[in-house]
């Protein structure tokens, strides 16, 4: 092999900006940014645009840092799963040590800078979110209990509370309700994914509910959590962040989501295998739209309230 070919191979295996950016789990980070932004905007205390931009940036970096640390710890199982084996570490682009150092550095920077830019209540919530996602969920729960996603879902539910705390310096019933919507939404969202990705989780030894209790039990759990989610989501419409736009959207979205969960619950495994889990895949996509539209409706109420037209 010539020196030129050796140099080419070395160059191709080097990590680029895109590989480090992939460590941040940009799709997850986009949800963090959006819900944190909504939490900040619907708060009753106005925030200077520069402070608001800086706060959302550091919340995004903190969320991305959690993703990098998750990939560092999960590199072995990521290599076994079809959905994750092309991530930077199992693909050989970035070493586990590099991902760990990257994640820790960004975590410290994000928390400190959020405290300086906004306040240390918001920074404390961000620090706890990173700790909860990495230590409690990734290291402690994910490989030990089928309730991993139920308890671990709290990590993804904190961003709107952090955004609210940036503006108000505290916590309120409104921010707790925004947290609760995401917390209750997470199990049916991820369990619907697990229904059609069950083989991956089995191969990786991750005790997701379909692996430990079977798909029939998982379908029932999806329905139960969807039914429990509905009153939580609708109740936010009667608080200071709600209004007729949000309430109408929430009622319609929850009726749609419950109908989808009932369909999932009624499905036989034979029918699901026959159409390659088409209904389950559709429910997973609907769940993403469900959350986006709920927070979009809260955002609309916030904008209308700013111009004197929103709320009750």
């Amino acid at each position: 092999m010539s020196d030129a070919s050796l140099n080419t191979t070395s160059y191709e295996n080097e990590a680029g900006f895109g590989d480090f950016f992939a460590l941040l789990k940009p799709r997850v980070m986009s949800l963090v940014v959006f819900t944190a932004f909504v939490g900040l905007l619907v708060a009753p205390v106005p925030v200077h645009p520069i402070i608001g931009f800086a706060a959302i940036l550091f919340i995004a970096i903190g969320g991305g840092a959690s993703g990098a640390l998750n990939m560092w710890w999960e590199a072995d199982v990521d290599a076994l799963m079809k959905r994750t084996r092309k991530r930077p570490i199992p693909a050989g682009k970035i070493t586990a040590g590099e991902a760990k150092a990257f994640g820790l550095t960004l975590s410290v920077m994000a928390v400190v800078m959020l405290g300086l830019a906004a306040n240390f209540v918001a920074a404390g919530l961000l620090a706890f979110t990173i700790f909860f996602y990495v230590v409690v969920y990734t290291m402690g729960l994910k490989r030990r209990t089928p309730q991993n996603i139920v308890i671990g879902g709290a990590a993804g539910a904190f961003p709107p509370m952090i955004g609210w705390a940036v503006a108000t310096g505290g916590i309120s019933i409104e921010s707790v309700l925004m947290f609760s919507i995401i917390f209750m939404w997470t199990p049916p969202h991820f369990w619907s994914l697990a229904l059609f990705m069950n083989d991956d989780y089995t191969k990786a030894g991750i005790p997701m509910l379909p692996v430990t209790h079977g798909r029939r039990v998982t379908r029932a759990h999806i329905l139960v959590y969807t039914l429990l989610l509905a009153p939580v989501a609708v109740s936010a419409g009667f608080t200071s962040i709600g209004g007729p736009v949000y309430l109408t959207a929430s009622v319609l979205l929850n009726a749609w989501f419950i109908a989808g969960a009932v369909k999932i619950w009624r499905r036989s495994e034979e029918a699901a295998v026959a159409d390659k889990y088409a209904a389950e895949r559709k429910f997973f996509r609907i769940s993403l739209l469900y959350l986006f539209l709920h927070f979009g409706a809260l955002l609309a109420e916030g904008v209308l309230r700013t111009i004197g037209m929103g709320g009750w």
Side-chain angles (χ1 to χ4, degrees), residues 146-255:
Q147 294 301 308
N148 49 19
I149 206 64
V150 177
I151 305 167
F158 277 112
M161 288 188 75
I162 301 172
W164 182 278
V166 166
T168 66
I171 296 170
S172 70
I173 184 62
E174 289 85 357
S175 68
V176 170
L177 277 172
M178 287 188 284
F179 168 93
S180 300
I181 291 170
I182 302 175
F183 180 75
M184 295 300 296
W185 163 88
T186 300
H189 168 69
F190 275 102
W191 282 335
S192 63
L193 171 69
L195 284 173
F196 60 85
M197 296 298 293
N198 189 48
D199 292 344
D200 260 10
Y201 288 117
T202 301
K203 184 187 298 183
I206 297 175
M208 291 293 281
L209 195 61
V211 177
T212 60
H213 290 71
R215 288 186 171 97
R216 172 47 50 195
V217 171
T218 304
R219 294 176 188 280
H221 275 64
I222 288 173
L223 178 59
V224 169
Y225 271 85
T226 302
L227 291 171
L228 292 174
L229 167 63
V232 174
V234 171
S235 65
F238 298 100
T239 67
S240 67
I241 60 175
V245 172
Y246 173 83
L247 188 60
T248 301
S250 186
V251 169
L252 294 175
L253 286 168
N254 279 283

